[in-house]
Amino acid sequence: MSKNKNVIALVDCDSFFVCCEQKVNPELKGKPVSVISNKDGCVISRSREAKKLGVRMGEPLFMAKKEHPKGIYIVANHELYSKTSHEVMALLKDFSPTVEIYSVDEAFVDFTGLSKLYKMDYMELARYLRQKIKDELDISVSIGLSSSKTLAKLASDKAKTNNCGVYRINSGYIKEELKNTSIDEIWGIGRNLTKLLHSSGIITAYELVSQSDIWLDTKIGIRGLEMKHELLGETVSPVTNYVKPPKSIQNTRALGKFTSDINYIKNELNIHIHRGCSKLRYLGAKANIISVMLRTKDFKVFYKKKVLDKPTCYEWEVSDIIFEMLNEIYIPNILYRSSGVVLEGITYDSGEQLYLFADNNTDTKNQKLAACLDKLESRFGKNVVKTGFVIHKDEPNSQEVVKKF
């Protein structure tokens, strides 16, 4: 565990989905805006004004509209959020050589030594970065500074209630901060661990770090030890540019409406398949296990999985398998609310197994077609090429194919 006093920042976008919507539609600024998961879904992001109005996170749309009719409710546009996230992360990477992306709207940034480069102290540097993101991207962020990731996360939470949007936990004030912080405010401590610690009489973060290493190791394990030392300001987990490859890729979302139309469902699955395969190719990977999921209006889940003889990252191969499994789990005249595709057993190019009876000609054609699709999307935007099935209003279960690879 490193005891070097690094300076780590957590940059956290404020009400990110709402902020993205306000960026493309400035008329929404200063208004009680909430983003919902889908047209009949739940609230997943709120503006400050919506929070003051009383809109709750996770509240179903029909309840939010009933209780807060003055609110503005917008269906989520994840492509917009992904694009904006890439812009924010690119700016951070230009600002510091070491950036660790934590989520779509959060990143750890190593500030260590940057004060000399920019000729500012660390608080001035954080304010400068915050203003730069606002001026160039019109995205509001909160920035927490400290010597460990856990303390930087705590500082960023405090920055959200700070008018200047920046907060630093200095080494000399750590214990005072921890005495005023309940354990459920600490990053990585969930509901079950909170109950466990409460049962042992531990209420504050300071009481947690006051426990011996032996006690923490016995009660929580290595995670407890790491948490203690991070809370004391030691850099247990340094910021790194290394991105851990995913073990699986999951694409699921609610359907635009409750439906039993198998072609409507197939069109949704095609979107999931394309996103998953595009990501596989971007990572230089292939999947060996493919799963499909359907969730009914009454939340009953149907699920099917298949292990492939040979891994793939091509939509036209994955869709054939997915639609075969779909026919096995699909029941006509049942209303479905969501669908999903999971790609697992991921292998990377460097470790891909060679196959004795591989069809090299087909593989070459697949690679060229995939490269062509990816190039088109890179130039003209996502979903410029689509596959799909006709949906006849008078024949809800029609299976006429319009275009398919």
Side-chain angles (χ1 to χ4, degrees), residues 159-315:
K160 288 186 179 296
T161 59
N162 187 324
N163 289 331
C164 72
V166 175
Y167 194 89
R168 183 177 184 184
I169 300 178
N170 288 303
S171 57
Y173 297 92
I174 289 176
K175 290 186 178 179
E176 287 303 312
E177 291 281 1
L178 298 183
K179 287 177 182 178
N180 296 314
T181 302
S182 61
I183 56 171
D184 58 359
E185 295 178 66
I186 300 302
W187 179 41
I189 297 184
R191 187 178 302 172
N192 292 335
L193 186 52
T194 297
K195 288 181 180 178
L196 173 65
L197 294 171
H198 281 176
S199 68
S200 299
I202 298 173
I203 307 300
T204 68
Y206 181 74
E207 291 170 337
L208 175 65
V209 301
S210 298
Q211 305 303 312
S212 69
D213 286 1
I214 295 175
W215 188 91
L216 287 168
D217 189 29
T218 302
K219 288 287 186 178
I220 306 175
I222 187 65
R223 187 160 63 99
L225 291 174
E226 292 175 346
M227 194 177 299
K228 171 183 174 177
H229 291 281
E230 282 259 325
L231 285 170
L232 289 173
E234 299 172 25
T235 309
V236 177
S237 174
V239 180
T240 174
N241 289 322
Y242 173 72
V243 179
K244 188 176 181 180
K247 294 182 179 179
S248 66
I249 295 174
Q250 179 172 317
N251 286 278
T252 62
R253 72 174 181 180
L255 301 170
K257 60 182 180 180
F258 296 139
T259 183
S260 61
D261 186 337
I262 192 169
N263 285 341
Y264 188 98
I265 295 169
K266 283 183 176 181
N267 286 335
E268 290 294 305
L269 289 172
N270 264 333
I271 295 172
H272 300 321
I273 293 166
H274 175 60
R275 287 177 176 170
C277 289
S278 294
K279 186 169 184 179
L280 282 175
R281 292 195 293 272
Y282 175 77
L283 295 170
K286 293 183 178 180
N288 195 47
I289 303 172
I290 298 174
S291 307
V292 62
M293 179 277 295
L294 285 179
R295 182 177 284 111
T296 70
K297 181 181 178 182
D298 300 322
F299 294 96
K300 185 176 181 180
V301 175
F302 294 92
Y303 183 81
K304 190 77 175 178
K305 177 187 289 190
K306 183 174 182 179
V307 179
L308 309 183
D309 295 328
K310 180 184 176 184
T312 184
C313 61
Y314 306 123
E315 289 88 334

